[in-house]
Amino acid sequence: VIEGTAEAGSTVELFNGDTSLGTATADANGSFSITTGELADDDYSLTVTATDAAGNTSSASTALALTIDTAEPDAPVITTTTDLTNDTTPTIEGTAEAGSTVELFSVDTSLGTAIADGNGDFSITSSQLADNDYTLTVKATDAAGNESAASSSLALTIDTTAPSTPVITTTTPLTNINTPVIEGTAEAGSTVTLFSGDISLGTATADGNGD
């Protein structure tokens, strides 16, 4: 819809170059509104002329540059690969159409937005998340308002709960081995660090049984 002002009662004709796209009659206040026929995606240079009741036609108006863009952007891509974190406001990075607005979702809940830079890179810091498992996706909306399909999802677990205190099961109080093996139990999969006072002596990963 192209709107403007002209001589009250005049017939206003809308052009793209020399091609007529529609007409309307300016109302008593001189206002007009012209709805074009369907236009293909392209760049247009639109002008209007006004013809009064006596048949006199004005010169063309100043041109309006208009781009029709109905194509949705390509689906953005999440490049973050972290699937487990204790950060309750994780930062999700990826790529999308340059200049598009990228929105981060957990299913249907919006967690934040960012503008993809000139290279198409974006970084979104999520709103606060509780400990849970999340399925995250992003969508991109271009300057014309076209929305992309959702990206492939990222499965992310937020876990801020400290593991239970590990237990040393080794009972030997005296040894002639200067690289003793210390055994015990801890949360399965956790990284266990051995200390003497504040000095770290080594690390290991607890197996599936917590050993």
Side-chain angles (χ1 to χ4, degrees):
V1 176
I2 305 301
E3 298 178 330
T5 58
E7 181 179 303
S10 64
T11 299
V12 183
E13 188 166 10
L14 175 66
F15 292 91
N16 175 50
D18 295 328
T19 303
S20 176
L21 301 180
T23 62
T25 300
D27 66 19
N29 295 316
S31 300
F32 68 85
S33 176
I34 302 173
T35 301
T36 73
E38 187 167 336
L39 300 177
D41 284 17
D42 207 347
D43 296 323
Y44 295 87
S45 181
L46 304 181
T47 58
V48 287
T49 62
T51 301
D52 65 17
N56 303 303
T57 300
S58 72
S59 57
S61 67
T62 301
L64 167 68
L66 178 68
T67 298
I68 305 291
D69 175 11
T70 62
E72 66 179 35
D74 292 337
V77 175
I78 295 175
T79 57
T80 297
T81 57
T82 302
D83 60 3
L84 176 64
T85 182
N86 62 358
D87 184 355
T88 58
T89 57
T91 297
I92 305 301
E93 298 179 331
T95 58
E97 181 178 300
S100 63
T101 299
V102 184
E103 189 165 11
L104 175 66
F105 292 91
S106 172
V107 189
D108 295 326
T109 302
S110 176
L111 301 179
T113 61
I115 305 295
D117 66 18
N119 296 317
D121 298 320
F122 69 84
S123 177
I124 302 173
T125 298
S126 168
S127 54
Q128 189 90 23
L129 298 176
D131 282 18
N132 210 337
D133 297 323
Y134 295 89
T135 299
L136 305 180
T137 58
V138 287
K139 292 182 179 180
T141 302
D142 66 19
N146 302 304
E147 184 178 83
S148 74
S151 68
S152 296
S153 61
L154 170 68
L156 180 67
T157 298
I158 306 291
D159 178 7
T160 62
T161 303
S164 299
T165 302
V167 175
I168 295 175
T169 57
T170 298
T171 57
T172 304
L174 178 66
T175 182
N176 62 357
I177 300 172
N178 60 12
T179 58
V181 174
I182 305 300
E183 297 179 332
T185 60
E187 181 180 302
S190 63
T191 300
V192 183
T193 303
L194 176 66
F195 291 92
S196 174
D198 294 328
I199 299 172
S200 174
L201 301 179
T203 63
T205 301
D207 65 18
N209 296 317
D211 298 323

